């Protein structure tokens, strides 16, 4: 079956007493056992029967299995947020004295996790240019425990060549881990592109229009010691497991993921093309545009559709402020891949608490607006953007 069919039709392991067609939400914390031996077997991992919903819940297991069927992964683990999945992943891979080779272009909390939180536990973040293989090689040594990247960085929209990075990771016997939140796993084969682990904020594309927070680790089974730590150490000891209600919402989201991605990518491409020739727009960042510097790399890794995230630059920060204030339909909100179109000025919001020097180091420009293109009519979305851009740049072009 194709991925979109698997996303809808994977049956759940055991039918419930009513033969429910949709996996029920098992809002239970504990599970009752018939006797002492089956209870001991469940607690000691000798059976797959759930014992306590911080570590195992049938609704969450069903969601994990669906993702596993779509991705053909060895194991999928679901967490309460994307950040919970990323931290579980990195705490399962790193230990004191080790270093992680990554990039300056990271989601804000991931950047802080690497440069502040993990640092307190004796782990060094080596931030280099992941699009320059020689720079990557120069940063790896015998204490490097993984290479970590984001498939498309946000908001810089940089696309590193995962296949090249995979070759380097293999040479050194270390895992290649990618945060692939921005390109859904229905669009590419993580194993084939050379990833050992994917971490995904399922809050975004998977949740089905911003219904719930969630995160997953997709594990291709190449590093058994790390796999063991994810399940037995991070899930059990950090307590960041997904809730059954979120798993239910996310399973529904999976069913429409491909359709939403197709629609949003089509609209995003149309809007990106129109923004290129809109007066006042200085530049547009979208990997689906043929003249984008990452277009070929993106296409070869993730296919023809460029996704729903588009960025564009206005002449200065004050124009960005006026643009955000002038929007009528597009929502002033963070998040990506909501059903509604969203706009945000990353420098003053997501990255606002960081110092100007740190923002500069991370290439977060004061002039950039990030859009998440929703399911509305693309013409309506563009019309709202255009009128807001006109208002934003008006004071720069006074009519005499
Ligand atoms: N990774 C990326 C690329 C993101 O954009 C986000 C956004 O929030 C996260 C991870 C964190 O996900 P969550 O908000 O689900 O913790």
């Amino acid at each position: 079956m194709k991925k979109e069919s698997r996303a809808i039709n994977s049956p759940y392991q055991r039918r419930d007493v009513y033969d429910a067609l949709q996996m029920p939400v098992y809002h239970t914390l504990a599970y009752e056992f018939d006797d002492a031996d089956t209870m001991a077997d469940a607690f000691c991992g000798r059976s797959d029967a759930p014992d306590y919903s911080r570590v195992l819940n049938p609704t969450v297991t069903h969601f994990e299995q669906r993702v596993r069927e779509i991705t053909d992964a060895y194991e999928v683990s679901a967490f309460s947020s994307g950040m919970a999945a990323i931290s579980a992943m990195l705490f399962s891979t790193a230990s004191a004295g080790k270093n992680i080779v990554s990039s300056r272009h990271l989601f804000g909390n991931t950047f802080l996790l690497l440069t502040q939180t993990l640092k307190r536990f004796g782990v060094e973040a080596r931030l280099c240019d992941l699009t320059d293989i020689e720079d990557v090689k120069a940063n790896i040594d015998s204490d490097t425990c993984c290479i970590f990247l984001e498939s498309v960085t946000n908001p810089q929209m940089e696309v590193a060549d995962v296949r090249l990075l995979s070759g380097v990771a293999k040479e050194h016997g270390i895992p290649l881990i990618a945060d692939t939140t921005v390109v859904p796993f229905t669009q590419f084969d993580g194993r084939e592109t050379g990833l050992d682990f994917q971490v995904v904020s399922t809050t975004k594309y998977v949740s089905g229009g911003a219904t719930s927070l969630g995160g997953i680790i997709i594990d291709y089974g190449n590093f058994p010691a790390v796999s063991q730590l994810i399940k037995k150490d991070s899930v059990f000891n950090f307590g960041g497991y997904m809730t059954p209600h979120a798993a239910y919402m996310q399973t529904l989201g999976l069913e429409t993921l491909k359709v939403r991605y197709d629609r949003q990518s089509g609209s995003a491409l149309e809007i990106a093309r129109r923004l290129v020739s809109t007066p006042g727009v200085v530049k547009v960042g979208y990997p689906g545009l043929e003249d984008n510097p990452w277009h070929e790399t993106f296409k070869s890794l993730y296919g023809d559709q460029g996704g729903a995230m588009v960025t564009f630059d206005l002449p200065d920060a004050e124009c960005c402020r006026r643009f955000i204030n002038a929007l009528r339909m597009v929502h002033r909100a963070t998040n990506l891949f909501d059903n509604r179109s969203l706009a945000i000025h990353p420098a003053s919001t997501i990255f606002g608490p960081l110092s100007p020097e740190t923002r500069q180091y991370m290439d977060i420009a004061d002039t950039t607006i990030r859009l998440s293109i929703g399911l509305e009519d693309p013409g309506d979305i563009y019309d709202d953007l255009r009128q807001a851009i006109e208002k934003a740049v008006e004071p720069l072009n006074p009519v005499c």
Side-chain angles (χ1 to χ4, degrees), residues 264-277:
Q264 290 177 327
S265 295
S267 298
L269 179 60
E270 179 182 331
I271 289 164
R273 283 194 177 133
R274 293 178 78 178
L275 284 172
V276 169
S277 52

Side-chain angles (χ1 to χ4, degrees), residues 90-307:
L90 294 180
F91 275 96
S92 301
T93 311
S95 54
K98 299 286 182 188
N99 65 70
I100 296 174
V101 169
S102 190
S103 162
R104 291 178 291 124
H105 298 163
L106 292 171
F107 170 62
N109 289 112
T110 308
F111 178 79
L112 296 174
L113 174 71
L114 281 167
T115 56
Q116 296 185 5
T117 315
L118 281 159
K119 190 176 171 197
R120 285 196 286 111
F121 292 86
V123 179
E124 183 196 352
R126 295 191 175 171
L127 306 184
C128 62
D129 180 355
L130 295 180
T131 66
D132 175 352
I133 287 300
E134 293 313 315
D135 194 21
V136 176
K137 286 182 181 165
N139 275 279
I140 294 180
D141 64 18
S142 57
D143 288 325
T144 303
C145 63
C146 66
I147 302 175
F148 178 85
L149 78 147
E150 292 180 8
S151 49
V152 180
T153 70
N154 153 19
Q156 306 86 358
M157 309 286 271
E158 174 187 277
V159 186
D161 191 331
V162 169
R163 291 198 180 96
L164 288 181
L165 291 173
S166 165
V168 178
K170 282 201 174 68
E171 262 169 45
H172 290 85
I174 54 173
L176 178 64
I177 305 170
D179 176 339
T180 58
T181 299
V182 166
V183 190
F185 44 78
T186 46
Q187 297 305 117
F188 68 103
D189 183 335
R191 192 196 296 279
E192 188 273 322
T193 54
L195 296 178
D196 296 300
F197 297 92
Q198 285 183 65
V199 285
V200 180
S201 166
T202 55
T203 313
K204 308 290 175 340
Y205 276 120
V206 177
S207 76
T211 63
S212 46
L213 276 166
I216 49 174
I217 297 177
I218 301 172
D219 174 358
Y220 292 102
N222 302 330
F223 290 85
V226 178
S227 309
Q228 179 79 2
L229 283 176
I230 293 168
K231 277 284 177 207
K232 294 292 172 210
D233 196 275
S234 293
V235 173
F236 280 62
N237 299 349
F238 287 153
Y241 192 55
M242 184 176 270
T243 65
H245 185 71
Y248 175 75
M249 301 304 288
Q250 308 241 333
T251 306
L252 292 183
L254 265 186
E255 297 183 356
T256 56
L257 174 57
K258 181 85 175 71
V259 178
R260 287 181 287 111
Y261 187 76
D262 290 354
R263 160 87 183 180
Q264 290 177 327
S265 295
S267 298
L269 179 60
E270 179 182 331
I271 289 164
R273 283 194 177 133
R274 293 178 78 178
L275 284 172
V276 169
S277 52
T278 301
V281 171
V282 177
K283 67 173 180 194
V284 177
Y286 187 63
L289 292 173
E290 284 79 8
D291 60 354
N292 180 279
W294 310 111
H295 179 67
E296 290 306 326
T297 312
F298 182 94
K299 227 170 99 169
S300 78
L301 291 167
Y302 309 117
D304 287 337
Q305 286 161 311

Side-chain angles (χ1 to χ4, degrees), residues 257-386:
L257 174 57
K258 181 85 175 71
V259 178
R260 287 181 287 111
Y261 187 76
D262 290 354
R263 160 87 183 180
Q264 290 177 327
S265 295
S267 298
L269 179 60
E270 179 182 331
I271 289 164
R273 283 194 177 133
R274 293 178 78 178
L275 284 172
V276 169
S277 52
T278 301
V281 171
V282 177
K283 67 173 180 194
V284 177
Y286 187 63
L289 292 173
E290 284 79 8
D291 60 354
N292 180 279
W294 310 111
H295 179 67
E296 290 306 326
T297 312
F298 182 94
K299 227 170 99 169
S300 78
L301 291 167
Y302 309 117
D304 287 337
Q305 286 161 311
M309 182 168 70
V310 180
T311 62
F312 66 93
D313 281 50
L314 292 175
D316 59 32
E318 190 49 31
C319 285
C320 293
R321 204 176 73 84
R322 283 196 293 268
F323 166 81
I324 293 285
N325 286 339
L327 289 168
R328 290 179 185 150
M329 183 190 82
V330 174
H331 297 265
R332 290 176 275 274
T334 189
N335 200 21
L336 289 165
F337 321 128
D338 197 307
N339 292 340
R340 295 151 209 82
S341 293
L342 312 175
I344 194 162
H345 178 235
S348 62
T349 55
I350 305 168
F351 298 91
L354 303 180
S355 68
E357 294 73 33
T358 308
R359 283 201 294 276
Q360 197 177 8
Y361 173 67
M362 296 176 77
D363 293 321
I364 306 296
D366 281 348
T367 49
T368 304
I369 296 286
R370 186 187 81 188
L371 301 173
S372 173
I373 302 301
L375 298 174
E376 304 96 335
D377 174 75
D380 287 343
I381 303 170
Y382 176 73
D383 286 349
D384 191 29
L385 298 173
R386 196 202 47 211

